[in-house]
Amino acid sequence: MTRIVILGGGPGGYESALVAASLGATVTVIDSDGIGGACVLTDCVPSKTLIATSETMTNLALAPGLGIRPHGLGSATEPVLPAVAWGMRSGLDSAVPPLTPPEVVSVDPEQVYERVRELAKAQSLDIEHRLEREKVEVVHASGRLVGPHAIETNTGETFVGDVILIATGASPRDLPTARPDGERILTWRHLYDLKEIPEHLVVVGSGVTGAEFASAYRAMGAEVTLVSSRERVLPGEDPDAARVIEDVFVRRGIEVLNRSRAASVRRIGDGVIVELTDGRTVTGSHALMAVGSVPRTKGLGLTDVGVRLGPGGHVNVDRMSRTSVPGVYAAGDCTGVLPLASVAAMQGRIAMWHALGEAVSPLRLGTVSSNIFTEPEIATVGVTQVMKDTGAVAAEVTTVPLSRNPRAKMMGIEDGFVKLFCRPGSGSVLGGVIVAPRASELILSVSLAVEHGLTVDQIAHTFSIYPSLSGSITEAARVLRPRDFFAGFDNPV
């Protein structure tokens, strides 16, 4: 019987453990943080739980536009939330000046944060119980490699395996001039221990993490300043999508400081001051450092046994999750392949299928879908606008604004679009971008098309519900359809 020892209990670790156990291996998971890892306990699960609260606040803020308002409020054009200046569109090209109505809805920070923490703990326990049901041994300890097939824990035990999987994840990056103190200068892992909604949150970093928390805390009533060193927020994302999000941020009262790099962050009394490299300063009650992550590979004995690391400390792996040492695999954020829980889980599964002799295909990043949980969300899969514009991929593209979607009009949605990329000639779907509420749910149909090589003609022939937001996907496909799609139809709709 093959013995598997896994260091790290996040998605890459626990998913690989379940696969190995199902294939008859003896499996041990060594984890020091709690099963589910940072993803479940401090990152993905708690952040999206917090965002669920902020989404509700957003819906309440926009409810008057649908004719809903609590007793005592005046004009239906006024948003509901206190201290939140929601710039609501009037038509498509202008915005109503921000308004501050009476306090009728508020956030209970203690209850919100308690719910976040409890849900994360419950999810962790659920996963651990699942591992136990599958006869996976769980060891709560830290560990390091003391040989290519042996891991020693801080409790003095040594676990020997035929196969070793490293799935230790990553941690928030610290800057020497902006050391987090957990009280006023924060990483995203400190947020859930706060006692209040920050009065004025200065977010340093405009990538995915910075944008998500800027959006969420603005919806919950905080003043927010977003410090971005690049020309726009979300610089690594689809440029059209990023422009929509930045426009929404500005309309909703977030101060966006583009081309502004933070030189230092320090405490001043009960607040913080962020010094920019151009001499300007930004003061706030709290600062959130969202400047990326570093792999958790130091002190694990990896290089001592011959595991090669990249320049940033990531474990070098191939598409089968193999490291430079036979029998040693790695999965998840510690590899630097793509920092998504879904990718970590797939890397772990592939590692076990490969190690245990199952038929398996190498990891395919071109079909990975991802989502940014701002309001609205941004979901993407496959070919990107940059790839098309640079000529890396030959593609046709079309964009359908949600503002002309009937269901979006009914729901009061005015921001967002569906964008599809297809191969010239054949019409095979190569990728897509969706900017919309619940884009994370809508992207699945595009992901299926990319994964299975469906054509825009096939999507265009597929019935969508009327009215529905997904109708914009079939509409985009019809725009990209072969010219003779409607041949024989007198009145195409």
Side-chain angles (χ1 to χ4, degrees):
M1 182 177 291
T2 303
R3 180 160 185 81
I4 309 290
V5 181
I6 299 167
L7 185 58
Y14 72 74
E15 287 286 352
S16 62
L18 292 171
V19 168
S22 73
L23 295 174
T26 300
V27 187
T28 298
V29 174
I30 301 170
D31 181 83
S32 60
D33 299 328
I35 295 300
C39 172
V40 169
L41 290 168
T42 58
D43 289 354
C44 195
V45 169
S47 68
K48 278 48 179 183
T49 306
L50 184 75
I51 287 169
T53 296
S54 73
E55 287 176 344
T56 300
M57 296 294 280
T58 298
N59 292 335
L60 287 170
L62 302 177
L66 303 180
I68 300 172
R69 61 184 182 273
H71 294 295
L73 267 187
S75 169
T77 63
E78 294 182 356
V80 175
L81 302 184
V84 178
W86 294 98
M88 298 171 62
R89 285 186 181 274
S90 175
L92 296 180
D93 300 317
S94 61
V96 176
L99 300 171
T100 304
E103 290 194 14
V104 293
V105 179
S106 62
V107 172
D108 182 338
E110 185 174 345
Q111 184 176 350
V112 168
Y113 291 132
E114 182 180 4
R115 178 175 182 269
V116 168
R117 293 190 299 266
E118 290 303 314
L119 193 149
K121 291 177 184 177
Q123 181 71 5
S124 176
L125 286 174
D126 284 348
I127 298 169
E128 184 164 353
H129 292 158
R130 170 77 188 283
L131 291 174
E132 291 171 350
R133 289 197 301 272
E134 300 299 328
K135 309 303 182 185
V136 173
E137 180 185 18
V138 176
V139 177
H140 294 286
S142 58
R144 65 186 307 274
L145 273 72
V146 292
H149 295 283
I151 293 177
E152 182 181 79
T153 69
N154 61 331
T155 60
E157 295 180 275
T158 299
F159 296 85
V160 177
D162 303 296
V163 175
I164 301 292
L165 176 73
I166 307 300
T168 49
S171 297
R173 184 185 302 277
D174 283 353
L175 300 181
T177 57
R179 295 292 188 191
D181 60 14
E183 296 178 352
R184 295 290 172 175
I185 305 175
L186 315 166
T187 71
W188 57 88
R189 295 187 179 179
H190 297 131
L191 290 170
Y192 317 112
D193 294 323
L194 294 177
K195 304 299 182 184
E196 68 280 321
I197 299 299
E199 181 181 344
H200 183 177
L201 181 65
V202 182
V203 180
V204 179
S206 63
V208 174
T209 301
E212 287 184 347
F213 281 116
S215 178
Y217 274 97
R218 183 58 183 147
M220 292 189 293
E223 291 185 39
V224 176
T225 299
L226 183 60
V227 178
S228 171
S229 63
R230 308 291 285 275
E231 293 184 0
R232 55 179 169 82
V233 301
L234 297 169
E237 303 303 318
D238 179 88
D240 295 326
R243 277 190 286 271
V244 170
I245 296 302
E246 185 164 335
D247 178 53
V248 170
F249 279 8
V250 172
R251 292 202 328 268
R252 292 181 176 175
I254 295 176
E255 183 181 15
V256 179
L257 303 180
N258 288 329
R259 301 178 184 175
S260 301
R261 186 179 296 275
S264 67
V265 182
R266 55 188 174 85
R267 289 188 64 160
I268 49 167
D270 290 332
V272 296
I273 183 167
V274 179
E275 298 177 344
L276 307 182
T277 53
D278 61 8
R280 290 177 296 160
T281 60
V282 182
T283 58
S285 62
H286 299 74
L288 172 64
M289 304 305 297
V291 289
S293 301
V294 294
R296 296 177 62 183
T297 54
K298 289 184 179 180
L300 301 183
L302 296 174
T303 56
D304 295 339
V305 301
V307 175
R308 284 197 288 269
L309 305 181
H314 293 98
V315 181
N316 289 335
V317 292
D318 63 12
R319 293 169 62 200
M320 290 294 190
S321 304
R322 293 176 293 191
T323 71
S324 54
V325 176
V328 178
Y329 295 76
D333 289 3
C334 68
T335 68
V337 170
L338 195 59
L340 295 172
S342 59
V343 173
M346 185 58 73
Q347 285 181 289
R349 296 186 198 109
I350 287 172
M352 293 301 101
W353 287 325
H354 183 270
L356 296 171
E358 295 292 304
V360 60
S361 299
L363 181 68
R364 293 177 59 203
L365 294 180
T367 60
V368 174
S369 57
S370 62
N371 193 73
I372 301 172
F373 291 85
T374 49
E375 177 56 46
E377 296 177 359
I378 302 175
T380 59
V381 65
V383 165
T384 66
Q385 187 70 49
V386 171
M387 293 167 68
K388 177 189 181 299
D389 292 345
T390 59
V393 173
E396 295 180 6
V397 60
T398 192
T399 301
V400 175
L402 283 188
S403 58
R404 71 190 198 199
N405 178 289
R407 184 66 187 277
K409 293 175 184 177
M410 298 167 193
M411 298 170 66
I413 298 169
E414 297 169 332
D415 299 294
F417 61 80
V418 170
K419 177 188 288 190
L420 286 184
F421 300 89
C422 76
R423 193 179 303 280
S426 70
S428 298
V429 179
L430 298 176
V433 181
I434 299 178
V435 181
R438 295 292 192 271
S440 50
E441 310 293 343
L442 293 170
I443 197 66
L444 179 60
S445 59
V446 184
S447 297
L448 285 168
V450 173
E451 175 71 29
H452 297 289
L454 302 183
T455 66
V456 290
D457 188 56
Q458 290 172 309
I459 294 177
H461 274 87
T462 301
F463 283 95
S464 61
I465 299 298
Y466 181 90
S468 68
L469 297 184
S470 60
S472 288
I473 298 174
T474 54
E475 181 183 354
R478 288 195 294 272
V479 174
L480 289 170
R481 73 192 189 281
R483 292 182 181 277
D484 62 349
F485 175 77
F486 283 115
F489 288 82
D490 293 330
N491 295 300
V493 178

